[in-house]
Amino acid sequence: MKKTINILILLGALFCISNFALAHNYPTKVGEKLGNGIANAVTGVVEIPKTMMVTGRRHGATYGMTAGFFTGLFHSVGRSLAGALDIATFLVPTTPVIRPAYIWDNFDRETTYTAWQMR
């Protein structure tokens, strides 16, 4: 009987150690997600000139001013909504849906979208 209790206590302690290790990084992950969400919600409108510049360099100035504008408008709404969603769900630490995570990271790269993953 005493052996069984000792084994249960040991298993319980091992289970708690792994949870403590995961909980240690939780405030940092939650804070990063909240900051990322606020930054993306506020700077979503910058996607329009960014996409116009990227598209213009790749396909020419006229194409960048027309198609780049509408693509940038789409990315602007996408970044702002993804930022709002990150703000609303910041307690669940997931990776950013948008690549690059911030508009100022790798400004010469067009915005892409990925699936959510746990951090």
Side-chain angles (χ1 to χ4, degrees), residues 38-55:
I38 292 170
N40 284 332
V42 171
T43 62
V45 72
V46 181
E47 280 287 348
I48 296 171
K50 173 190 169 186
T51 306
M52 289 172 65
M53 289 182 344
V54 170
T55 306

Side-chain angles (χ1 to χ4, degrees), residues 94-113:
T94 58
T95 59
V97 176
I98 296 182
R99 301 279 189 252
Y102 298 99
I103 188 95
W104 54 83
D105 289 344
N106 203 356
F107 200 76
D108 294 331
R109 185 177 136 203
E110 191 169 350
T111 301
T112 58
Y113 303 90

Side-chain angles (χ1 to χ4, degrees), residues 56-98:
R57 286 184 192 139
R58 195 174 297 151
H59 299 288
T62 306
Y63 190 79
M65 295 297 284
T66 55
F69 173 78
F70 291 109
T71 305
L73 192 62
F74 171 77
H75 288 314
S76 175
V77 170
R79 185 172 289 275
S80 296
L81 288 178
L85 188 63
D86 281 348
I87 293 169
T89 62
F90 77 95
L91 292 174
V92 180
T94 58
T95 59
V97 176
I98 296 182

